[in-house]
Amino acid sequence: MPFLRHSLFVLVSLAAGATAGATTVKTGKPAASQPAARAWATRDQLRDCLDTEAALKERFKGVEAAADAHEQLFSQVEAENTKLTELQGQLDHDSDIAVRAFNALVKEHNLHVKQLNQDAADARPAADAYNADMSAYNHRCASLVYRVEDMDAVMRERKKAAAASAASR
């Protein structure tokens, strides 16, 4: 009976060892750390990402134009503020005409400040939407891995479509 028990123990040990050996990864790294199989982007994904990128570039021109206009108005408001500070230091407080002229300049300056603030508020939704869409584009497209021949084919399609579009104008 002890022989049978010992034989059974050896048999179970061998079976367990054989199973463990069959599931061991030979790279020395745990199975979870193995790189995922490369998934190539499809041509449709490339087309979509390139179309999105082109649309975002066009939208950015509008966002940038609004930012440039805002910057110009900001510079104007700053220059007015500097001039008003200088004028206030030289103001003849005993002259009603000088005080009224200064107050008119301040009133005009305050309108420009109000316009500056309104322009910023008006531009914010478009800029925020652009930023959100750019983030979504980056999330969807930045990690794509593509074959050079697929990108070349899609770029040829785009050039052909652009040429046809220009010819039809």
Side-chain angles (χ1 to χ4, degrees):
M1 188 77 150
F3 178 75
L4 183 60
R5 200 177 301 160
H6 179 63
S7 297
L8 190 57
F9 175 76
V10 170
L11 191 60
V12 169
S13 296
L14 284 174
T19 342
T23 59
T24 303
V25 178
K26 301 282 189 226
T27 63
K29 295 181 182 179
S33 70
Q34 297 298 313
R38 177 169 282 177
W40 298 103
T42 65
R43 288 185 182 184
D44 285 338
Q45 287 174 306
L46 288 173
R47 284 183 201 99
D48 178 55
C49 287
L50 291 170
D51 290 346
T52 301
E53 180 183 31
L56 285 168
K57 283 181 181 179
E58 284 301 310
R59 283 177 56 196
F60 182 72
K61 290 177 185 177
V63 170
E64 190 174 41
D68 289 346
H70 182 77
E71 187 64 34
Q72 285 179 343
L73 186 54
F74 181 81
S75 295
Q76 176 188 336
V77 166
E78 271 191 330
E80 288 174 359
N81 190 48
T82 301
K83 184 69 174 168
L84 286 172
T85 301
E86 290 173 11
L87 288 175
Q88 188 176 22
Q90 302 167 359
L91 184 61
D92 179 3
H93 293 280
D94 295 330
S95 168
D96 276 348
I97 293 173
V99 170
R100 276 186 275 167
F102 179 77
N103 287 342
L105 289 174
V106 169
K107 186 176 182 179
E108 183 179 355
H109 174 71
N110 288 340
L111 288 174
H112 293 155
V113 169
K114 186 177 180 179
Q115 182 62 48
L116 179 70
N117 291 335
Q118 187 61 51
D119 285 354
D122 291 346
R124 187 168 292 118
D128 289 348
Y130 170 81
N131 288 334
D133 291 347
M134 179 57 87
S135 180
Y137 161 78
N138 285 334
H139 182 73
R140 188 177 80 247
C141 297
S143 62
L144 287 182
V145 179
Y146 56 87
R147 291 181 182 91
V148 173
E149 58 270 15
D150 288 338
M151 180 60 84
D152 289 344
V154 170
M155 293 304 289
R156 281 192 303 274
E157 291 172 6
R158 291 171 64 83
K159 284 180 184 176
K160 186 176 178 181
S165 175
S168 68
R169 288 185 214 162

